[in-house]
Amino acid sequence: MSFIADIKKRLPAVLWISCCIGFLLFFIGPINELLNKLVVKPLISAFSNSILNELVLLVLAVLAGAWLYLFGDKGYLRRIAIFTAFFYVLQLNQPLWDFGHMRLIPGMREWDLIVAALIIPAVFTFIPVRRIEIAGVNNNGFIEDLAIVSADEDSFNRKEVAREIAVRIGRTANSKSFAIGILGEYGSGKTSFINLIKSYVDQKKSEIVDFNPWSAEGTPNIQKDFFDLLASRLYTLNPQVAGLVLEYSRKLSRVDSSAEKLVRQIGFAGRLFSIGNYIDDYERINQLLEKSGKKIIVTIDDLDRLYKDEVMEVMRLIRNTANFTNIFYLVAYERSYIQESIKSMNANVSSSYLDKIIQLEIPLPKRENEDLLRVLENLLESFITSDHMEAYRSHILETGFRNQFNFAFETIFRQTRDVIKFINNFKIAYQFLGKEVMFESLFVLELLKFRFPLIYDRLFERRNDFIRDKPSRSSHEEYYELRTYLVEKEELPIIGRTLREEQQYTESEITLICGLLNNLFFKFNRSAKAKNAIIYPMFFERYFRYRLSNRDISEKLFQDAWQRGILGVKNLVDQCAEDRLLNELSTRIFQEKPKTRIDFELKVSSLFYLGTRYVREKGRRSFDYDAFTDLLYNYDHRIEKQYYKKDESAYRLFVESLFAGAESPYVFPAEVIYHIKHDQKEIGVPTTALIDFQTHYFKAHIAEKGLSRDGTWMFWGIRHDYTEPAPGKPGYVTKHFQFEPPVIPVVKAALAEQDPFQFLKFGIKYDMREKELVAIHPELLTIFTTPDEYKEIITANTKVEPAIKADFLAFFEACKEKGFNNWAEYEFKTALKPERNEDDD
């Protein structure tokens, strides 16, 4: 039966071609004479066979062939080709005409070129169009929210239900139309489900008509557009049915459609103008459709996108005007909207009205909980790295989506459309920040932005509503944590209480918001170790900007430099010094948590190299010396045990190599050693060796820069601290210090040979409340045999400005009168006047 139906379908074209060929064979002589008289002699014979004309003819032939191929109907092109080929063969044996050969293409005639232009387009229609995949195409473009078209794409296991519906449609013998409603909310996959049904329909026994009423221009055109479409699709099945459908439509609407005119032009005007009313046509259409044995499956998608009067017009089509034999309607809609549309048009209509039109309603088979997560994972795999994919599976999928008690992400995605929208947004964020921030923090923040964009904006603009700084002694150890309040010993986010008071979100939405925020700002071990998590103030704003500011260190560049070792880091330090980003870089290096000896030594060496440039740019007191010396502190041999396999000498040699390789002007390493000695932190290097390093730094510095302010500061750090019992206060001690002996001859020589202005000024002690009360630091006088030795050195120094020298000597005499043990009253006349500078305390 299918073979006979296939022949019937192609019969009109075969008959048309056969008639044309028969006409040519029968009238070939008269046709040739007519063409010779009308076309060949007056027009073609006058053709000038020149190179230019041949070029023009060749271009016209190519353009004509291209136009036919691009815009011609496939069947029309093939019929033209058959007719042309047959006519060409007949002319080969006719002595009436003789076409000249072309100069550009020897052996070819102008007539051959014209024939080729008419035949070649039809040949191309037999070549299957293949989808070409270009190697290396970037797959990071946006994802279209497209319905699936085959069972292979079914992610929600709905294909078995769709197959059963398709099979039962094929088995049903319906004398009237049968309407099946596909129920589902917006974005739930109704279109995909209809496509699944269509994929299982027997194509040989069915004709599928996809009708989109929402593309019609207003309610009056819905009926006209429907019957025009139905007629055009039924024409290949039975031209007589197509003509009857158009006549039926014309009588219903009293409007002559463009499709009707087309059918008239191709030979069915007689049928259209037959006598009878639309009821007669309706019966004849039913008879012919039943006789055809084919199911006509009309799909109507997105019925709930129509205006209410348009919904009623479609209902009228299904139940009344297009209620034909063997027609099935697959109608997709959200039931509540259709019910409201019916009631708004007729308040007296009961809720059962829709049941009279739709004989079967099929709510979409519910997806399993894992279905959306499977779609999400498949899409993520197409553009994120394998490390990030592993982080998603281990930390986000398991603790977020599959954990109903802690973070409860499972309600974020309600349908496939949500997943696609999220992925399209996340691709942008990942492109800019994927290598700059922690993947998990970025992913969860993007989830928050997707579902709650106002909360996302509020987190950035009013972060104090959500989080607070967790203070720490060192800036690189500070982090954000959620602001909470206690309820029955349980800490809850304050933002949850705030949102409940504002009443802008439901309780379930507030629970989801709090779950996302808890995940973002919970101090997981992996977040703390990553150091580029959103919990760290240094990185917080970067998550929202999608770019690096001029005050940011690129995490990608940092990691690249870190992987290259100390040379890579030194290059990065030098670049950051030019960009004035040393503070940010030092914080980032401090955040590294070394696991091996190589990592540990790289971190220490990097900070040591950076420290010299940091102090040079920001001043000698600016660096976080406590954090650095804590890093070196070998308490209970912890560093040797952790990184050096208990080899004490190996760690000592590493530290000594750092100090031995220190760079000018030596302020940074000298200050590091001062803090180590002052805080009594064991680093494996003997104290005598540390003093030697300090003395070497001081000597090298003054040789290069003289007794500068920094040089004098270095001298005051080359000392050791001690305590003595406080006189008359049992149990109390007083703190004192002494300069290390090796530095004393060095400083005395410098005082005699260089300008000692900064040294003199540093040596002045003044009362905190009354500046006129001054003295010489008693510890300073201990480096001289007698106080007068100090005076004699300065007096003999010819590099001291006379006014400065005179002022100092007068001050010295005032202190001497008090025995150098009490405050003296003296007002300085020169720049020796003390300044209250915290940097010099």
Side-chain angles (χ1 to χ4, degrees), residues 774-776 810-822 824:
V774 292
I776 298 176
F811 158 67
F812 184 89
E813 293 299 328
C815 292
K816 187 175 182 179
E817 290 179 5
K818 297 291 185 177
F820 298 107
N821 293 322
N822 296 309

Side-chain angles (χ1 to χ4, degrees), residues 424-434 442 446 449 546:
N424 282 332
N425 277 280
F426 184 67
K427 279 191 171 187
I428 299 174
Y430 188 78
Q431 173 66 29
F432 289 105
L433 297 176
L442 178 64
E446 288 298 304
K449 184 179 73 171
Y546 287 5

Side-chain angles (χ1 to χ4, degrees), residues 502-697:
E502 295 173 352
Q503 299 182 353
Q504 298 296 317
Y505 296 93
T506 65
E507 184 60 33
S508 61
E509 288 175 329
I510 293 173
T511 300
L512 179 54
I513 290 169
C514 291
L516 291 166
L517 293 170
N518 268 320
N519 185 282
L520 273 177
F521 295 100
F522 189 87
K523 196 179 181 185
F524 296 106
N525 287 336
R526 58 184 180 275
S527 300
K529 292 177 180 178
K531 299 304 179 184
N532 59 345
I534 197 172
I535 63 174
Y536 290 103
M538 178 179 177
F539 282 87
F540 178 85
E541 291 191 6
R542 197 175 305 184
Y543 282 83
F544 297 84
R545 290 195 309 258
Y546 287 5
R547 61 177 176 81
L548 300 180
S549 75
N550 56 3
R551 302 305 306 163
D552 287 332
I553 299 292
S554 168
E555 183 68 9
K556 180 180 182 300
L557 292 180
F558 175 81
Q559 293 295 342
D560 289 344
W562 200 256
Q563 294 301 319
R564 294 198 303 271
I566 188 60
L567 292 179
V569 177
K570 284 183 176 180
N571 290 334
L572 183 60
V573 169
D574 293 340
Q575 182 60 51
C576 289
E578 292 182 14
D579 298 336
R580 305 186 72 82
L581 292 174
L582 289 178
N583 181 54
E584 290 74 13
L585 181 57
S586 67
T587 300
R588 183 62 190 89
I589 295 176
F590 267 122
Q591 288 179 326
E592 284 296 304
K593 297 295 183 183
K595 297 180 180 179
T596 65
R597 172 179 174 177
I598 293 175
D599 293 338
F600 171 75
E601 292 185 352
L602 176 59
K603 179 176 179 177
V604 174
S605 301
S606 299
L607 288 169
F608 200 87
Y609 181 80
L610 180 145
T612 298
R613 287 144 187 81
Y614 194 100
V615 169
R616 187 185 300 158
E617 176 186 320
K618 299 179 180 294
R620 57 183 176 271
R621 296 286 295 273
S622 58
F623 195 77
D624 192 348
Y625 293 102
D626 289 333
F628 186 69
T629 54
D630 283 345
L631 183 62
L632 296 175
Y633 190 17
N634 192 26
Y635 175 75
D636 194 26
H637 303 279
R638 67 173 185 89
I639 294 178
E640 297 163 11
K641 295 174 184 177
Q642 186 173 1
Y643 302 117
Y644 291 88
K645 299 180 180 180
K646 299 182 181 181
D647 186 349
E648 182 178 352
S649 62
Y651 178 53
R652 174 177 55 80
L653 290 173
F654 166 66
V655 176
E656 287 180 345
S657 69
L658 281 178
F659 290 125
E663 299 177 76
S664 173
Y666 306 104
V667 177
F668 171 75
E671 190 70 11
V672 169
I673 293 176
Y674 164 75
H675 280 269
I676 290 171
K677 291 167 56 185
H678 180 270
D679 298 332
Q680 298 181 355
K681 293 179 178 178
E682 175 59 47
I683 64 169
V685 179
T687 301
T688 54
L690 295 177
I691 295 171
D692 289 342
F693 281 124
Q694 282 184 298
T695 304
H696 166 72
Y697 297 151

Side-chain angles (χ1 to χ4, degrees), residues 181-246:
I182 308 299
L183 276 59
E185 61 183 8
Y186 172 80
S188 57
K190 299 187 293 294
T191 304
S192 295
F193 190 63
I194 287 178
N195 288 343
L196 282 176
I197 296 173
K198 288 159 57 177
S199 71
Y200 286 115
V201 166
D202 189 339
Q203 302 294 325
K204 295 180 180 179
K205 297 180 180 180
S206 307
E207 192 72 33
I208 297 175
V209 180
D210 296 318
F211 177 54
N212 299 321
W214 38 267
S215 65
E217 296 181 358
T219 304
N221 291 315
I222 289 179
Q223 177 178 282
K224 170 183 174 296
D225 288 357
F226 173 78
F227 283 112
D228 283 357
L229 175 64
L230 184 62
S232 66
R233 297 304 301 272
L234 292 179
Y235 174 70
T236 57
L237 177 65
N238 188 331
Q240 188 180 10
V241 177
L244 280 171
V245 167
L246 286 176

Side-chain angles (χ1 to χ4, degrees), residues 23 128 134 150 153 201 230 252 276 281 318 352 407 444 447 458 481 494 512 523 556 608 617 625 674 712-713 753 781:
F23 182 83
I134 304 173
S150 68
E153 303 172 76
V201 166
L230 184 62
L252 284 175
D281 291 340
I318 295 172
S352 62
F407 306 118
V444 176
L447 289 177
R458 185 171 178 175
E481 63 180 8
I494 286 179
L512 179 54
K523 196 179 181 185
K556 180 180 182 300
F608 200 87
E617 176 186 320
Y625 293 102
Y674 164 75
T712 303
W713 178 264
E753 299 170 0
L781 292 175

